[in-house]
Amino acid sequence: MATSSRPCSIEACKSPSRTVCICCDKCYCMEHLAQHFGRINNKIPPLSDKINGLAKRLNKFASIEPSYLVALEKWRVEAHKTVEDYYESKRRDFIDDRRGKLEKEVERVRHTMDRLMRKHDAVQQDVDLLTQDIRLIEQKFSEFQSLRFTIHPLVIDGDLIIRDIFPLPPPCRTMKLSFDEFPAMASNDKYLLVHQPPNLSLLDRHLAIIKQAPWTQGEIWDICWSQALSRFMLVANKDIFTVEPSTMAIAKSPLSSENELSRVTCSDSALFLLTQGMGPTIFEYKIPPSSKNIKERRPPEACAESEYVFDIRANQKTLAMVIFNPETDKTRLDLRSTINFQRLWSVDVGEGFRCCLLHGEQWMVVDALNRRLYHVSNGGKLLKADKYAHQPWNIIQWGKFIIGIRTNEGINLY
């Protein structure tokens, strides 16, 4: 009698298939289906051994401090009571928060694995995700073990202890994106917003697309996150738009300008807009922004009439500006007070283009033309410059420990 059943995918099996495995799209008879799932679930215990091993290494690390902490402790004793409070603060930033985050990651993966082993219902996707998570934990742990410090002679200022950022480790996440002439991006605590024509895409820390919304308003020059408004702010030529991340609702702001705009940035209390072209103007709005509560910073207050401002980034009481001077053919990073707009310091940054504030009140500037990165201290000292494999067109700090760099090819997370 003819039958419409597909044969079992196992070679030499004459039995008709009874079901299709969704994860691998193959047909199996009942006997080989059970064997197939058995093979998948047998991959879980070795992964469990790996995560348990990482947990033991973390526990050992907690009780036996590596050499760089021994040196830091010795320096603390020699420096006397003056540095006690500073030491505790730096230890928490560099060590405890990272270790706590790793422990949470290990515990999360162990919990998932225990559930799968208990229910015995794992599929190949579970194995792949667990394998990827463990690989990332191993990489983060290796970076954690090999943290490098520069320890200066005792000088009590903001540059007392500086983590060596360069060379950057291999990226922990990458995402390919099509070329964008204006590679804007911004992050809040959880998500990263990027323009991925024809959509705006909201990405999680695995660079997976969480939500999307169609974008039909032309080129996006810049994006920033406003903590006070709980919105992303977008600049598209003369218009300002807001994006609400939970719904991806896009709304046009009444602040739209008669001037063509190039950059937007926010502090907790203010919104800053930068116009395009030579000798630009910076508009400052108190939050919530309104057309009645505005300051204008025009040349020579912000820059010279003959200069270009490539980027602006706001901190709580300061505004960083990447400024190009065609007469000297030099680019500098200026830090100004947002209270009186007085320049606090200035440092040359090659042919820098975009900048971001790093955790610890330091700054990083990207130079796409020369494929270079510049690390600047909170006191305006150039700490180090390093080559980058691709052209870095934009940069963000995502939370305390993640740096995101946008290139012609896509996004790299570190």
Side-chain angles (χ1 to χ4, degrees):
M1 180 181 295
T3 177
S4 59
S5 174
R6 294 165 62 184
C8 177
S9 296
I10 301 300
E11 189 176 352
C13 178
K14 304 301 182 183
S15 300
S17 64
R18 298 300 183 189
T19 187
V20 177
C21 176
I22 297 176
C23 65
C24 63
D25 196 29
K26 292 183 179 180
C27 299
Y28 294 99
C29 66
M30 295 307 295
E31 177 184 358
H32 288 121
L33 179 66
Q35 294 177 7
H36 174 63
F37 282 119
R39 286 192 295 270
I40 291 176
N41 282 282
N42 286 339
K43 296 177 182 179
I44 298 294
L47 294 177
S48 178
D49 292 339
K50 274 194 171 185
I51 200 67
N52 288 333
L54 284 171
K56 290 179 180 178
R57 290 170 66 188
L58 276 172
N59 290 335
K60 183 178 179 182
F61 184 86
S63 59
I64 303 175
E65 294 182 336
S67 58
Y68 61 81
L69 278 184
V70 173
L72 190 62
E73 179 71 14
K74 179 181 178 182
W75 169 84
R76 182 185 70 88
V77 173
E78 293 173 350
H80 224 277
K81 184 66 176 61
T82 312
V83 299
E84 286 293 334
D85 291 341
Y86 186 84
Y87 166 82
E88 294 296 338
S89 173
K90 288 298 178 180
R91 180 186 176 95
R92 182 168 59 253
D93 286 346
F94 286 135
I95 308 303
D96 295 341
D97 288 352
R98 291 169 178 269
R99 183 164 59 214
K101 187 175 180 180
L102 276 173
E103 287 172 345
K104 287 180 181 179
E105 284 291 304
V106 168
E107 196 57 37
R108 179 185 64 80
V109 175
R110 290 179 70 178
H111 176 76
T112 301
M113 201 168 301
D114 289 343
R115 178 178 59 79
L116 292 172
M117 294 176 68
R118 184 172 61 255
K119 292 186 176 182
H120 206 69
D121 62 350
V123 297
Q124 184 62 46
Q125 185 180 9
D126 294 321
V127 176
D128 293 340
L129 288 174
L130 287 171
T131 302
Q132 184 182 30
D133 284 342
I134 289 174
R135 187 180 301 120
L136 287 172
I137 292 174
E138 289 177 325
Q139 181 178 337
K140 290 179 181 179
F141 188 81
S142 295
E143 294 171 13
F144 185 35
Q145 284 186 304
S146 59
L147 284 173
R148 301 178 301 277
F149 293 92
T150 297
I151 303 177
H152 295 281
L154 180 58
V155 177
I156 307 299
D157 61 23
D159 300 336
L160 192 61
I161 299 178
I162 300 167
R163 179 191 165 201
D164 290 337
I165 294 178
F166 300 137
L168 288 175
C172 62
R173 289 276 193 277
T174 61
M175 180 181 187
K176 289 189 176 298
L177 292 175
S178 56
F179 174 76
D180 190 344
E181 188 176 356
F182 307 99
M185 61 179 180
S187 65
N188 60 15
D189 289 339
K190 292 184 177 180
Y191 302 114
L192 176 69
L193 185 68
V194 297
H195 185 207
Q196 196 177 16
N199 299 313
L200 285 173
S201 298
L202 194 69
L203 312 176
D204 65 11
R205 297 204 178 197
H206 293 273
L207 295 182
I209 297 175
I210 303 301
K211 294 184 179 71
Q212 285 187 317
W215 176 260
T216 59
Q217 305 298 327
E219 296 288 356
I220 297 175
W221 281 74
D222 199 17
I223 309 173
C224 78
W225 168 253
S226 171
Q227 185 69 35
L229 299 176
S230 298
R231 297 286 192 277
F232 287 101
M233 311 291 292
L234 283 74
V235 166
N237 291 323
K238 296 182 179 181
D239 295 319
I240 311 297
F241 295 85
T242 64
V243 180
E244 202 285 317
S246 63
T247 62
M248 289 296 285
I250 301 172
K252 188 175 179 180
S253 168
L255 296 180
S256 297
S257 170
E258 296 180 358
N259 303 279
E260 291 188 336
L261 302 169
S262 64
R263 298 288 182 260
V264 58
T265 185
C266 287
S267 66
D268 287 346
S269 60
L271 167 72
F272 299 88
L273 296 173
L274 174 71
T275 63
Q276 297 181 27
M278 183 183 291
T281 299
I282 297 175
F283 297 101
E284 178 184 348
Y285 299 85
K286 294 297 181 182
I287 291 179
S290 81
S291 57
K292 297 179 180 179
N293 197 349
I294 179 176
K295 294 180 182 177
E296 296 186 20
R297 310 289 189 179
R298 298 180 180 275
E301 187 175 16
C303 66
E305 289 278 3
S306 60
E307 293 181 322
Y308 295 88
V309 178
F310 290 155
D311 201 12
I312 57 173
R313 282 293 176 263
N315 195 10
Q316 298 314 314
K317 295 182 180 180
T318 59
L319 184 72
M321 306 169 61
V322 180
I323 301 173
F324 171 64
N325 187 316
E327 296 175 1
T328 62
D329 198 28
K330 289 185 177 181
T331 302
R332 67 184 188 272
L333 179 68
D334 283 1
L335 190 72
R336 291 185 176 271
S337 165
T338 54
I339 297 174
N340 54 20
F341 232 65
Q342 178 183 359
R343 187 165 70 179
L344 305 177
W345 50 255
S346 181
V347 59
D348 288 345
V349 286
E351 295 183 69
F353 183 61
R354 301 297 297 263
C355 68
C356 81
L357 176 68
L358 300 179
H359 181 60
E361 306 297 312
Q362 298 171 18
W363 299 88
M364 189 174 290
V365 179
V366 294
D367 175 353
L369 297 181
N370 297 300
R371 299 185 178 184
R372 294 187 70 81
L373 308 175
Y374 295 89
H375 183 195
V376 179
S377 77
N378 60 356
K381 177 183 178 182
L382 179 59
L383 300 174
K384 195 172 182 180
D386 200 24
K387 294 289 288 184
Y388 194 67
H390 307 280
Q391 287 187 306
W393 286 105
N394 205 349
I395 182 169
I396 58 164
Q397 171 87 38
W398 193 353
K400 280 188 176 182
F401 304 123
I402 298 178
I403 294 173
I405 296 179
R406 183 81 185 265
T407 69
N408 288 340
E409 293 77 21
I411 299 170
N412 297 324
L413 298 185
Y414 300 90

